[in-house]
Amino acid sequence: MNSSTEPQPVRPSRPVDEPSASVDARHAMGVQVGEGNTQIIYSYAHAAWTDAPVTPPLVTVSGFVESPYRGLNSYDERDAAFFFGRESTCDDVLNRMAELAESTLLMVSGVSGAGKSSLLQAGILPRIRGEGLPGRPDTAAWPWVLLTPTASPIAELAIGFAAITGLDPGVLRRSLTTDPTDLRLVARQAAATDRTRPSSAPEVGSRRVILVVDQFEQLFTQCRDESERRAFIAALHAAGTDSGASEAAAVVVIGVRADYEARCADYPELADGVDHRYLVRAMTQRQLRMAITEPARMAGGEIHEQVVQVLLGELTAADQETMSTGGRVRSTAGALPLLSHALDQAWRMRNHQTVTLADYERTGGIESAIGLSAQEVYQSLTADQQVVAQRVFTRLTVTDPGGFDTADRVSGPELVQQSGDPATVQAVLESFAKERLLVLDADTVEISHETLLSAWPLLRDDWLAQSKADRMVRSRLENVASEWERHDRDSSYLYSGSLLEIANAASARITSDPKQPDLGTVDSAFLAASSTAQRRRRLRNRGLLAALTLLIIAVAASAVVAVQQSRTANAQRDLAISRQLITESEDSGEDPTIARFKSLAAWRINPSDDARQAMLAAAARPELAKLTAHTGPVYSVAFSPDGKTLASGGVDETVRLWDVATHQPIGDPLTGHTVSVLSVAFSPDGKTLASGRMDKTVRLWDVATHQPIGDPLTGHTDGVDSVAFSPDGKTLASGSFDQTVRLWDVATHQQIGNPLTGHTEPVWSVAFSPDGRTLASGSGDRTVRLWDVATHQPIGDPLTGHTGEVSSVAFSPDGRTLASASASEDQTVRLWDVATHQPIGDPLMGHTGLVSPVAFSPDGKTLASGSGDQMMLWDVATHQPIGDPLTEP
């Protein structure tokens, strides 16, 4: 080893005319001898465990200083000799550790880009390793663990402590998962048996572990398991706080972004740490000057004073802009990565040992240096690689519920699967990683610093702006899908209603856009399962609506059951109606299912022996033949006005007409659709059929010829879920997933006026009043709206009261009352006064399932509602159920 008392020259990264560089060894922890007997001074720790890839040291083994600035990467302990400007901050944190670490966790907070990681790794840890905590020189010999939470924080704890205890990481992980407080005992064992402590180190008492958790916000942005998150926090609290019987086993320091302090405060174990957190503030002018000039001096170079003044001026301007505009983090506190990157680029562009203003200006300045570097890499790629680059950076960015973009970490295999050809993806990753814009770990990829999200115009203004809404949906989908997968694909986690529609729409856009990364396998499986479950629910509700329609036709006369309120005076009439229903149920031509309901209604009106025999006879009749011709689920059914024809539309892209008497299809299916048929409706004269489709159109059909009438009705921007004719058959209304209702002239096929807008979720049901002047619409936004058909304007305020999606609406025959039902957790039917828009009485409650169809009897005195396999009749005047729920005998 060179015996000179002065540090030996360190060779610069390129030949220059200036004197060679040297390294100050005053705070060094180790010396490595390189080529030509060169001394390379390192200040690194022997027990650093972190999930992040190990970045190359600033000084190579051959003595070259490629650059004394870390760019977008943080300084680590090996770079301590080049870390300047935070000396007083280090003193403050060390004093705070000595004061508070005896009984609580110490939280070091600051905005993104404030230099928290560099402070902890290149400032705090080297000081502790060399001098110990203030007043406690023995702490210099304490073992320490450095980690980031990642997606598996308990695993990171296990790996870190296994290195200094000799315990098996897998066993330790299982132990901490079962009982997180075990970390207290593990930390005590680590302090007592530190395997990394040199054998020559003296024994000292009351040893503890120094545990530094950097980038603590990863616990919320990457860890998706709340139980593991809570276990990790409980483990840190157990190790870092006084148990009552003994002092804390570890000094726990947490580095976290300031915008995640509120999330931390939600956990009682961290609340005290938040209250006493140390805030890393913006550097002063003097500190900035040191951070700019001293690293260059240590590498044998210099930053010209003109460059220093320009840098300080730009940072000051950023501060003033932030104060005047209230913008997001652009101040000095969060600008350090930009400053370091600009200096790194200027150092590499210099022609001599002194970085001149010309060198700096070639980088484009602080604000554009990182963007310029990213753009240069992008432009160096081939056309195919540029497409993949957009997919990669879009996938590496997530949008939180507040709409802010943050960097995400993605596994390499997942990124390849979602972004394209493995070789092309790898070439893109390597290109950006070479400029320190991406960090490549053994199996993960991430953006080196979130500053890139706002500093690269192409990424910020083009790629991210275009996909922002879809990325918000994707982020939420990934979280829910992960929970679904983790809980053995429990169906209770599946999407439904508007959430599913939004996710499916985003999925379709993502799939059709070659510049967006595909959804993951689990995400796609989750959406498929959600769609299947919703189709089954809709099919069940649509089938129930058909059955209810049959019921209303069959038991129209049952409206007279309201006379049960005066049973004695009307006993003879009840008896006559019961006998009539018994006779009809025994008719050999009657449908078996209708016969059962009629016999049941007869029994409810008059529980006689004859009615009982009729029920037994109906129950013994053969089952109703199934109408089987569709090749997939049926989404919608409707009866013709005379009740002789049934129309059905389904996922097989066809509409079929059926003879109700024979149960046979009438002619060929109505074809021409290229997507699922969601809704069907007959015109009042039964000659025309309307069908709403998933392709955003409505088609009209001639029932007699089975041929389409004219071109499809276009205008909706999403699938059409409900259609209804006006009483005179001249106007058709359609409700859509696009949250609008549209009116159409049946004769001309033209849209009438502007769309009816106001709903904020898909429109599930539309119905005309008997006079055709008013239209009602029920929506997933839990409201019912009334519209003036002539003016297309809403009539009054929305009808509110349901706590779930409104799935069905119906007018009474006199048009004075409106009924609405909720096919959601609401499970109620509500009646409304059409004139006043006020609810009539209390909600009709009694269903135990999701309520979908509602219909009035011809005299308006009885209301029928259906849910699951159960139907109920209600007295409209009293709001009381008439008898027990109707179920198949």
Side-chain angles (χ1 to χ4, degrees), residues 726-746:
S726 62
D728 62 7
K730 296 180 179 180
T731 304
L732 179 74
S734 59
S736 168
F737 292 130
D738 67 6
Q739 306 173 7
T740 71
V741 177
R742 294 174 186 260
L743 298 179
W744 310 87
D745 187 313
V746 175

PDB file of all heavy atoms in Angstrom, residues 726-746:
ATOM      1  N   SER A 726     -93.316   4.309 -27.254  1.00  0.00           N
ATOM      2  CA  SER A 726     -94.359   5.173 -26.711  1.00  0.00           C
ATOM      3  C   SER A 726     -95.718   4.514 -26.963  1.00  0.00           C
ATOM      4  O   SER A 726     -95.846   3.629 -27.818  1.00  0.00           O
ATOM      5  CB  SER A 726     -94.308   6.542 -27.380  1.00  0.00           C
ATOM      6  OG  SER A 726     -94.548   6.428 -28.772  1.00  0.00           O
ATOM      7  N   PRO A 727     -96.761   4.890 -26.215  1.00  0.00           N
ATOM      8  CA  PRO A 727     -98.069   4.257 -26.377  1.00  0.00           C
ATOM      9  C   PRO A 727     -98.620   4.326 -27.801  1.00  0.00           C
ATOM     10  O   PRO A 727     -99.328   3.419 -28.234  1.00  0.00           O
ATOM     11  CB  PRO A 727     -98.948   5.043 -25.401  1.00  0.00           C
ATOM     12  CG  PRO A 727     -98.003   5.515 -24.355  1.00  0.00           C
ATOM     13  CD  PRO A 727     -96.737   5.832 -25.091  1.00  0.00           C
ATOM     14  N   ASP A 728     -98.283   5.397 -28.551  1.00  0.00           N
ATOM     15  CA  ASP A 728     -98.784   5.486 -29.927  1.00  0.00           C
ATOM     16  C   ASP A 728     -97.857   4.803 -30.925  1.00  0.00           C
ATOM     17  O   ASP A 728     -98.147   4.755 -32.131  1.00  0.00           O
ATOM     18  CB  ASP A 728     -99.008   6.944 -30.329  1.00  0.00           C
ATOM     19  CG  ASP A 728     -97.715   7.766 -30.302  1.00  0.00           C
ATOM     20  OD1 ASP A 728     -96.629   7.174 -30.111  1.00  0.00           O
ATOM     21  OD2 ASP A 728     -97.789   8.997 -30.452  1.00  0.00           O
ATOM     22  N   GLY A 729     -96.745   4.271 -30.455  1.00  0.00           N
ATOM     23  CA  GLY A 729     -95.832   3.530 -31.308  1.00  0.00           C
ATOM     24  C   GLY A 729     -94.993   4.374 -32.236  1.00  0.00           C
ATOM     25  O   GLY A 729     -94.232   3.842 -33.049  1.00  0.00           O
ATOM     26  N   LYS A 730     -95.074   5.709 -32.134  1.00  0.00           N
ATOM     27  CA  LYS A 730     -94.345   6.573 -33.052  1.00  0.00           C
ATOM     28  C   LYS A 730     -92.941   6.931 -32.562  1.00  0.00           C
ATOM     29  O   LYS A 730     -92.098   7.366 -33.345  1.00  0.00           O
ATOM     30  CB  LYS A 730     -95.134   7.864 -33.291  1.00  0.00           C
ATOM     31  CG  LYS A 730     -96.475   7.645 -33.974  1.00  0.00           C
ATOM     32  CD  LYS A 730     -97.205   8.965 -34.188  1.00  0.00           C
ATOM     33  CE  LYS A 730     -98.550   8.748 -34.887  1.00  0.00           C
ATOM     34  NZ  LYS A 730     -99.274  10.033 -35.092  1.00  0.00           N
ATOM     35  N   THR A 731     -92.720   6.762 -31.277  1.00  0.00           N
ATOM     36  CA  THR A 731     -91.423   7.151 -30.692  1.00  0.00           C
ATOM     37  C   THR A 731     -90.822   5.958 -29.960  1.00  0.00           C
ATOM     38  O   THR A 731     -91.544   5.191 -29.305  1.00  0.00           O
ATOM     39  CB  THR A 731     -91.595   8.318 -29.716  1.00  0.00           C
ATOM     40  OG1 THR A 731     -92.223   9.418 -30.393  1.00  0.00           O
ATOM     41  CG2 THR A 731     -90.255   8.777 -29.167  1.00  0.00           C
ATOM     42  N   LEU A 732     -89.535   5.826 -30.066  1.00  0.00           N
ATOM     43  CA  LEU A 732     -88.806   4.782 -29.352  1.00  0.00           C
ATOM     44  C   LEU A 732     -87.796   5.445 -28.427  1.00  0.00           C
ATOM     45  O   LEU A 732     -87.093   6.379 -28.828  1.00  0.00           O
ATOM     46  CB  LEU A 732     -88.067   3.865 -30.323  1.00  0.00           C
ATOM     47  CG  LEU A 732     -87.229   2.738 -29.695  1.00  0.00           C
ATOM     48  CD1 LEU A 732     -88.143   1.644 -29.161  1.00  0.00           C
ATOM     49  CD2 LEU A 732     -86.241   2.156 -30.707  1.00  0.00           C
ATOM     50  N   ALA A 733     -87.737   4.970 -27.189  1.00  0.00           N
ATOM     51  CA  ALA A 733     -86.723   5.451 -26.237  1.00  0.00           C
ATOM     52  C   ALA A 733     -85.682   4.361 -26.026  1.00  0.00           C
ATOM     53  O   ALA A 733     -86.013   3.171 -25.993  1.00  0.00           O
ATOM     54  CB  ALA A 733     -87.365   5.822 -24.909  1.00  0.00           C
ATOM     55  N   SER A 734     -84.412   4.764 -25.875  1.00  0.00           N
ATOM     56  CA  SER A 734     -83.329   3.799 -25.616  1.00  0.00           C
ATOM     57  C   SER A 734     -82.433   4.325 -24.503  1.00  0.00           C
ATOM     58  O   SER A 734     -82.070   5.497 -24.491  1.00  0.00           O
ATOM     59  CB  SER A 734     -82.517   3.546 -26.889  1.00  0.00           C
ATOM     60  OG  SER A 734     -81.959   4.751 -27.388  1.00  0.00           O
ATOM     61  N   GLY A 735     -82.097   3.446 -23.569  1.00  0.00           N
ATOM     62  CA  GLY A 735     -81.175   3.783 -22.481  1.00  0.00           C
ATOM     63  C   GLY A 735     -79.878   3.021 -22.666  1.00  0.00           C
ATOM     64  O   GLY A 735     -79.885   1.870 -23.118  1.00  0.00           O
ATOM     65  N   SER A 736     -78.755   3.638 -22.306  1.00  0.00           N
ATOM     66  CA  SER A 736     -77.453   3.063 -22.651  1.00  0.00           C
ATOM     67  C   SER A 736     -76.475   3.122 -21.493  1.00  0.00           C
ATOM     68  O   SER A 736     -76.641   3.872 -20.532  1.00  0.00           O
ATOM     69  CB  SER A 736     -76.881   3.822 -23.851  1.00  0.00           C
ATOM     70  OG  SER A 736     -75.528   3.510 -24.083  1.00  0.00           O
ATOM     71  N   PHE A 737     -75.407   2.318 -21.650  1.00  0.00           N
ATOM     72  CA  PHE A 737     -74.296   2.378 -20.716  1.00  0.00           C
ATOM     73  C   PHE A 737     -73.601   3.733 -20.773  1.00  0.00           C
ATOM     74  O   PHE A 737     -72.828   4.078 -19.865  1.00  0.00           O
ATOM     75  CB  PHE A 737     -73.261   1.287 -21.035  1.00  0.00           C
ATOM     76  CG  PHE A 737     -73.734  -0.110 -20.791  1.00  0.00           C
ATOM     77  CD1 PHE A 737     -73.599  -1.081 -21.757  1.00  0.00           C
ATOM     78  CD2 PHE A 737     -74.333  -0.456 -19.586  1.00  0.00           C
ATOM     79  CE1 PHE A 737     -74.031  -2.380 -21.538  1.00  0.00           C
ATOM     80  CE2 PHE A 737     -74.770  -1.739 -19.363  1.00  0.00           C
ATOM     81  CZ  PHE A 737     -74.624  -2.711 -20.354  1.00  0.00           C
ATOM     82  N   ASP A 738     -73.846   4.498 -21.862  1.00  0.00           N
ATOM     83  CA  ASP A 738     -73.189   5.801 -21.982  1.00  0.00           C
ATOM     84  C   ASP A 738     -73.868   6.865 -21.120  1.00  0.00           C
ATOM     85  O   ASP A 738     -73.574   8.051 -21.250  1.00  0.00           O
ATOM     86  CB  ASP A 738     -73.117   6.248 -23.441  1.00  0.00           C
ATOM     87  CG  ASP A 738     -74.491   6.542 -24.048  1.00  0.00           C
ATOM     88  OD1 ASP A 738     -75.510   6.510 -23.318  1.00  0.00           O
ATOM     89  OD2 ASP A 738     -74.552   6.779 -25.269  1.00  0.00           O
ATOM     90  N   GLN A 739     -74.826   6.426 -20.264  1.00  0.00           N
ATOM     91  CA  GLN A 739     -75.459   7.288 -19.256  1.00  0.00           C
ATOM     92  C   GLN A 739     -76.486   8.246 -19.856  1.00  0.00           C
ATOM     93  O   GLN A 739     -76.890   9.204 -19.198  1.00  0.00           O
ATOM     94  CB  GLN A 739     -74.404   8.073 -18.459  1.00  0.00           C
ATOM     95  CG  GLN A 739     -73.335   7.194 -17.832  1.00  0.00           C
ATOM     96  CD  GLN A 739     -72.212   7.983 -17.192  1.00  0.00           C
ATOM     97  OE1 GLN A 739     -72.277   9.201 -17.084  1.00  0.00           O
ATOM     98  NE2 GLN A 739     -71.171   7.289 -16.749  1.00  0.00           N
ATOM     99  N   THR A 740     -76.910   8.007 -21.101  1.00  0.00           N
ATOM    100  CA  THR A 740     -77.889   8.873 -21.734  1.00  0.00           C
ATOM    101  C   THR A 740     -79.126   8.090 -22.139  1.00  0.00           C
ATOM    102  O   THR A 740     -79.104   6.865 -22.237  1.00  0.00           O
ATOM    103  CB  THR A 740     -77.324   9.562 -22.992  1.00  0.00           C
ATOM    104  OG1 THR A 740     -77.162   8.580 -24.034  1.00  0.00           O
ATOM    105  CG2 THR A 740     -75.990  10.227 -22.701  1.00  0.00           C
ATOM    106  N   VAL A 741     -80.221   8.850 -22.384  1.00  0.00           N
ATOM    107  CA  VAL A 741     -81.430   8.317 -23.000  1.00  0.00           C
ATOM    108  C   VAL A 741     -81.616   9.071 -24.308  1.00  0.00           C
ATOM    109  O   VAL A 741     -81.420  10.292 -24.371  1.00  0.00           O
ATOM    110  CB  VAL A 741     -82.659   8.521 -22.088  1.00  0.00           C
ATOM    111  CG1 VAL A 741     -83.924   8.022 -22.773  1.00  0.00           C
ATOM    112  CG2 VAL A 741     -82.453   7.815 -20.746  1.00  0.00           C
ATOM    113  N   ARG A 742     -81.980   8.337 -25.362  1.00  0.00           N
ATOM    114  CA  ARG A 742     -82.208   8.975 -26.657  1.00  0.00           C
ATOM    115  C   ARG A 742     -83.604   8.613 -27.161  1.00  0.00           C
ATOM    116  O   ARG A 742     -84.093   7.496 -26.920  1.00  0.00           O
ATOM    117  CB  ARG A 742     -81.141   8.553 -27.681  1.00  0.00           C
ATOM    118  CG  ARG A 742     -79.745   9.060 -27.296  1.00  0.00           C
ATOM    119  CD  ARG A 742     -78.665   8.521 -28.219  1.00  0.00           C
ATOM    120  NE  ARG A 742     -77.335   8.904 -27.727  1.00  0.00           N
ATOM    121  CZ  ARG A 742     -76.616   9.917 -28.210  1.00  0.00           C
ATOM    122  NH1 ARG A 742     -77.106  10.665 -29.176  1.00  0.00           N
ATOM    123  NH2 ARG A 742     -75.422  10.201 -27.717  1.00  0.00           N
ATOM    124  N   LEU A 743     -84.242   9.555 -27.861  1.00  0.00           N
ATOM    125  CA  LEU A 743     -85.560   9.357 -28.451  1.00  0.00           C
ATOM    126  C   LEU A 743     -85.423   9.299 -29.968  1.00  0.00           C
ATOM    127  O   LEU A 743     -84.648  10.069 -30.564  1.00  0.00           O
ATOM    128  CB  LEU A 743     -86.513  10.483 -28.043  1.00  0.00           C
ATOM    129  CG  LEU A 743     -86.800  10.596 -26.524  1.00  0.00           C
ATOM    130  CD1 LEU A 743     -87.730  11.758 -26.248  1.00  0.00           C
ATOM    131  CD2 LEU A 743     -87.401   9.300 -25.994  1.00  0.00           C
ATOM    132  N   TRP A 744     -86.199   8.384 -30.591  1.00  0.00           N
ATOM    133  CA  TRP A 744     -86.077   8.143 -32.025  1.00  0.00           C
ATOM    134  C   TRP A 744     -87.462   8.210 -32.682  1.00  0.00           C
ATOM    135  O   TRP A 744     -88.460   7.754 -32.114  1.00  0.00           O
ATOM    136  CB  TRP A 744     -85.468   6.766 -32.293  1.00  0.00           C
ATOM    137  CG  TRP A 744     -84.216   6.488 -31.530  1.00  0.00           C
ATOM    138  CD1 TRP A 744     -84.125   5.963 -30.276  1.00  0.00           C
ATOM    139  CD2 TRP A 744     -82.876   6.730 -31.949  1.00  0.00           C
ATOM    140  NE1 TRP A 744     -82.810   5.847 -29.882  1.00  0.00           N
ATOM    141  CE2 TRP A 744     -82.024   6.309 -30.899  1.00  0.00           C
ATOM    142  CE3 TRP A 744     -82.308   7.238 -33.116  1.00  0.00           C
ATOM    143  CZ2 TRP A 744     -80.636   6.397 -30.979  1.00  0.00           C
ATOM    144  CZ3 TRP A 744     -80.924   7.323 -33.194  1.00  0.00           C
ATOM    145  CH2 TRP A 744     -80.104   6.916 -32.135  1.00  0.00           C
ATOM    146  N   ASP A 745     -87.513   8.753 -33.894  1.00  0.00           N
ATOM    147  CA  ASP A 745     -88.721   8.729 -34.712  1.00  0.00           C
ATOM    148  C   ASP A 745     -88.768   7.371 -35.404  1.00  0.00           C
ATOM    149  O   ASP A 745     -87.903   7.055 -36.241  1.00  0.00           O
ATOM    150  CB  ASP A 745     -88.682   9.858 -35.745  1.00  0.00           C
ATOM    151  CG  ASP A 745     -89.991   9.983 -36.515  1.00  0.00           C
ATOM    152  OD1 ASP A 745     -90.520   8.943 -36.981  1.00  0.00           O
ATOM    153  OD2 ASP A 745     -90.476  11.108 -36.667  1.00  0.00           O
ATOM    154  N   VAL A 746     -89.773   6.551 -35.055  1.00  0.00           N
ATOM    155  CA  VAL A 746     -89.829   5.187 -35.578  1.00  0.00           C
ATOM    156  C   VAL A 746     -90.004   5.195 -37.088  1.00  0.00           C
ATOM    157  O   VAL A 746     -89.482   4.319 -37.798  1.00  0.00           O
ATOM    158  CB  VAL A 746     -90.973   4.408 -34.892  1.00  0.00           C
ATOM    159  CG1 VAL A 746     -91.129   3.022 -35.509  1.00  0.00           C
ATOM    160  CG2 VAL A 746     -90.721   4.298 -33.389  1.00  0.00           C
TER     161      VAL A 746
END
